[in-house]
Amino acid sequence: MSILKHIELTGESPESWARAGQAAVKAARETLRDLRHIEVTRLTARIEVDGSLTYQTTVKLAFHVERAGDDDTLAFQQVEEIISDEPLP
């Protein structure tokens, strides 16, 4: 059974909303593993003093919560079994 956790992040870029979203995902990848889904929830922009825009993209990201007994653990046990040629208890 898979359990997903959702977090919300806002990325910024002077270039575009797409780049702002990519910045948010890139930052998440630095600390999270196994990202599964992304939902763009908000597009905004900040008007700077000089008139330029800073694009902001808010995304909801879902990632797999690792738990003991998950299928990955079973797969690891199966690999150990294949390598050792002896069934594990």
Side-chain angles (χ1 to χ4, degrees):
M1 177 173 65
S2 183
I3 301 295
L4 299 177
K5 180 172 178 83
H6 296 262
I7 62 168
E8 193 170 72
L9 299 171
T10 301
E12 291 188 339
S13 169
E15 298 171 21
S16 68
W17 282 299
R19 296 268 186 197
Q22 290 169 351
V25 172
K26 181 180 177 187
R29 283 187 173 146
E30 291 175 6
T31 58
L32 300 173
R33 294 189 312 209
D34 208 7
L35 291 174
R36 297 286 180 98
H37 303 280
I38 180 171
E39 176 186 354
V40 176
T41 59
R42 188 170 176 205
L43 300 173
T44 56
R46 185 174 60 242
I47 303 170
E48 303 296 344
V49 175
D50 65 359
S52 65
L53 296 177
T54 298
Y55 297 93
Q56 300 170 319
T57 301
T58 301
V59 297
K60 186 184 287 187
L61 297 169
F63 60 94
H64 182 256
V65 176
E66 294 178 7
R67 302 178 307 159
D70 276 353
D71 293 339
D72 292 342
T73 303
L74 179 60
F76 180 72
Q77 289 174 351
Q78 290 169 341
V79 167
E80 287 282 320
E81 198 171 274
I82 291 168
I83 292 171
S84 69
D85 286 332
E86 296 177 20
L88 295 174

